[in-house]
Amino acid sequence: MPGRVDEVIELLRRISKEKGMKAAVKHSGRAALVVGAMALLGGLMGGPPGIAVGGALGGLLGAWMKSGQFRPVPQILLELPPTEKKKLYDEAMDILKHLDWTDVVQLTTLVMGNASLQQKLAGVVTNYLSRELRAVIQYGK
């Protein structure tokens, strides 16, 4: 089974590369930490008005830090832990279960020759990343 998981993940990586998929993972925890730290620092230096100013500056800094940080989806899929790869595999197999394949080369040939399957599998990747990682997906090369 682990070999099959890796083969399907490799196929999903290929599809996401073909479609030029990139994802920006939202790190709301980091942004909240920056806002909180800046508000605390502002409060220590300027009292109640300093909290407001520090919070506002922290919010701007947090937003700036995270803007435009898109990473290639194939790289994100490669770095997923085994349990997450298995979840993604299970979702992809709902689409691939009717195909008869023995190795990744045969699977890739079958899927890359079928635009509908490619679109469905790209949708699986998009939905998974959006739901599990709260990522924003961008298409294009």
Side-chain angles (χ1 to χ4, degrees), residues 10 25 27 35 44 49 58 62 89 98 101 106 125 128 130 140:
E10 187 58 36
V25 179
H27 294 287
V35 172
L44 291 174
Y89 165 84
H98 69 279
W101 53 283
Q106 186 180 24
V125 172
Y128 173 82
S130 297

Side-chain angles (χ1 to χ4, degrees), residues 9-104:
I9 296 300
E10 187 58 36
L11 172 66
L12 297 176
R13 291 183 68 227
R14 168 107 187 253
I15 291 169
S16 61
K17 182 177 181 181
E18 291 275 327
K19 298 204 175 286
M21 294 170 69
K22 295 179 183 175
V25 179
K26 296 179 180 181
H27 294 287
S28 56
R30 284 187 193 166
L33 185 61
V34 169
V35 172
M38 292 293 287
L40 177 64
L41 184 60
L44 291 174
M45 296 180 80
I51 293 173
V53 171
L57 290 175
L60 290 172
L61 180 61
W64 175 78
M65 286 171 42
K66 288 293 149 202
S67 65
Q69 291 191 356
F70 280 85
R71 294 180 52 218
V73 168
Q75 184 66 35
I76 293 170
L77 296 179
L78 185 65
E79 296 170 357
L80 287 176
T83 55
E84 295 302 311
K85 285 181 181 179
K86 176 70 168 85
K87 282 184 197 176
L88 186 53
Y89 165 84
D90 290 341
E91 291 181 33
M93 284 308 293
D94 286 342
I95 293 168
L96 300 173
K97 64 186 169 194
H98 69 279
L99 295 178
D100 184 28
W101 53 283
T102 56
D103 62 16
V104 71

Side-chain angles (χ1 to χ4, degrees), residues 109-121:
T109 302
L110 289 169
V111 171
M112 297 313 278
N114 186 322
S116 175
L117 280 176
Q118 288 179 47
Q119 193 62 34
K120 288 177 184 176
L121 290 170

